[in-house]
Amino acid sequence: MAGALARGAEDVGVRTHRVGASGLEVSGLGLGTMTWGGDTDLHGAERLVARFVEAGGTLIDTAPAYGGGAAEKMIGRITRTHVRRDELVIATKAGFGLRNGRRTVDTSRKAMLDDLTGSLRRLHTDHVDLWQVHAWGRAPYEETLAALDTAVSSGMARYVGVCNYIGWQIGTAAAWQRAVPGRSGLVSGQVEYSLLARRAEVEVVPALAAHSMGLFAWSPIGRGVLTGKYRRGVPRDSRGAREHFSWFVEPYLESRSRAVVDAVTRAADGLGLAPAQVAMLWVRDAPGVTAPLLGARTVQQLEPYLDLDDTTLPEPIVSALDDVTGGPNQARSDRRTTAGTTD
């Protein structure tokens, strides 16, 4: 079965992709930093970024909420000591964080721009390459989006996007930005997407496609569950065993998820791959996806994903995984039909 894989003769590194219809280019794999400042210390982060950049990676996704700003500070330190700032595409966010110990969404103009000012200070840079609204908030969307315009016009952000928006929210925001010349068009949406979380296919993926926006998929390996390491319990060194992250993993430790993990593991065994690699490839090659965002905590966790550019899953495996996780991906089916028509 391993012979069914499409594989190049040598490791060519991580390729770059355009983000939607914009001029922004990013690596086809992004490095997430949610664990930085907690489970990943500065030394570990330095090693991660060095290896990532060595393999051709450019996209690093962060947020003020990650480690209470610690993740951004670590990136700022790394760009002064280990890699050049212009080697990275830095994406950060605004509008969500911990205030007085509580998770708070504040997407008002002042809160958004205050967040950006703080991000730039921690990152030790005069601009971010992609600035994203972290979540839909109670502030009028016109006010939130005006903050994005200010960020771009002032040079503090090169491009702007949204995170965790559902379909109608993406459509509303994107259409508003396109309605008047001079507003900053949204180039991307970031949402959870994996074999354990396919809801994005219903409305989010079509909305992004309709507005020529790219898709960044967070937790492409199902919050770590699709590695298979939770099949016989919760390992002591896993995120699921940590009090501050157990809530993040627990939703996928139920019977349906176990059945999906078993299917992914069987596919991986037949292909000579690790389950997590199969899960990542399924997301990476799904219609509309610009780049999966991998929250690796160590270089050892990152390494298996760095030489997959010339590896694709066989169509029968993709179809089988689609079936076991909810049915055909309509966009994938449409793409196959179109390809068959033009051949």
Side-chain angles (χ1 to χ4, degrees):
M1 193 66 169
L5 293 173
R7 185 68 181 266
E10 60 184 34
D11 178 7
V12 297
V14 180
R15 295 196 181 97
T16 60
H17 298 164
R18 286 183 62 190
V19 182
S22 76
L24 179 62
E25 290 195 1
V26 299
S27 51
L29 176 66
L31 186 61
T33 63
M34 189 172 71
T35 64
W36 290 21
D39 296 335
T40 303
D41 61 16
L42 178 60
H43 177 64
E46 290 169 345
R47 295 184 64 224
L48 274 168
V49 173
R51 180 66 186 104
F52 183 61
V53 171
E54 179 186 45
T58 62
L59 175 62
I60 295 187
D61 182 75
T62 190
Y66 297 168
E72 292 182 327
K73 288 181 180 178
M74 291 160 76
I75 294 170
R77 173 70 178 271
I78 290 167
T79 56
R80 287 178 291 155
T81 59
H82 284 70
V83 301
R84 298 193 315 271
R85 167 66 181 88
D86 61 7
E87 291 184 276
L88 301 178
V89 176
I90 298 177
T92 193
K93 310 177 186 75
F96 172 80
L98 288 174
R99 293 183 174 86
N100 299 320
R102 299 179 60 184
R103 293 187 179 89
T104 302
V105 176
D106 186 349
T107 55
S108 65
R109 178 187 175 90
K110 180 180 185 305
M112 293 285 294
L113 294 174
D114 283 351
D115 279 355
L116 180 56
T117 299
S119 290
L120 295 178
R121 182 179 65 252
R122 289 185 291 270
L123 290 164
H124 286 276
T125 186
D126 62 355
H127 75 280
V128 292
D129 300 287
L130 177 62
W131 192 44
Q132 305 156 102
V133 186
H134 205 150
W136 184 272
R138 293 183 178 179
Y141 68 85
E142 303 96 323
E143 178 179 341
T144 302
L145 297 172
L148 304 187
D149 295 333
T150 298
V152 173
S153 64
S154 66
M156 293 189 291
R158 296 289 190 261
Y159 295 89
V160 288
V162 296
C163 299
N164 305 310
Y165 277 29
I166 59 177
W168 73 264
Q169 294 167 346
I170 291 169
T172 299
W176 178 263
Q177 290 303 93
R178 296 173 102 182
V180 176
R183 290 178 183 162
S184 300
L186 301 179
V187 304
S188 63
Q190 186 180 140
V191 68
E192 182 176 14
Y193 185 48
S194 74
L195 281 163
L196 292 176
R198 293 181 58 190
R199 294 179 299 276
E201 293 172 14
V202 178
E203 291 185 349
V204 170
V205 174
L208 293 172
H211 292 280
S212 301
M213 296 167 62
L215 168 61
F216 296 117
W218 61 264
S219 281
I221 53 174
R223 309 188 184 189
V225 173
L226 289 169
T227 62
K229 63 186 175 184
Y230 295 97
R231 295 180 79 190
R232 295 176 177 83
V234 178
R236 291 184 179 180
D237 63 345
S238 68
R239 283 192 291 185
R242 289 169 167 77
E243 183 177 353
H244 59 289
F245 267 127
S246 60
W247 63 271
F248 187 68
V249 177
E250 284 174 358
Y252 294 151
L253 300 181
E254 32 77 18
S255 57
R256 176 191 172 277
S257 297
R258 286 196 293 272
V260 174
V261 173
D262 288 344
V264 172
T265 301
R266 287 194 299 273
D269 289 343
L271 296 169
L273 295 171
Q277 290 175 311
V278 170
M280 176 69 75
L281 288 168
W282 183 91
V283 172
R284 187 200 68 187
D285 296 335
V289 173
T290 302
L293 302 175
L294 183 70
R297 291 180 285 131
T298 66
V299 172
Q300 290 72 26
Q301 290 182 346
L302 176 65
E303 199 67 46
Y305 307 100
L306 296 180
D307 64 348
L308 294 176
D309 262 2
D310 289 328
T311 304
T312 57
L313 297 178
E315 289 291 342
I317 295 295
V318 174
S319 296
L321 292 175
D322 284 355
D323 289 343
V324 80
T325 58
N329 179 327
Q330 187 58 52
R332 202 192 310 271
S333 300
D334 292 344
R335 186 169 66 184
R336 289 171 183 153
T337 300
T338 301
T341 301
T342 56
D343 284 346

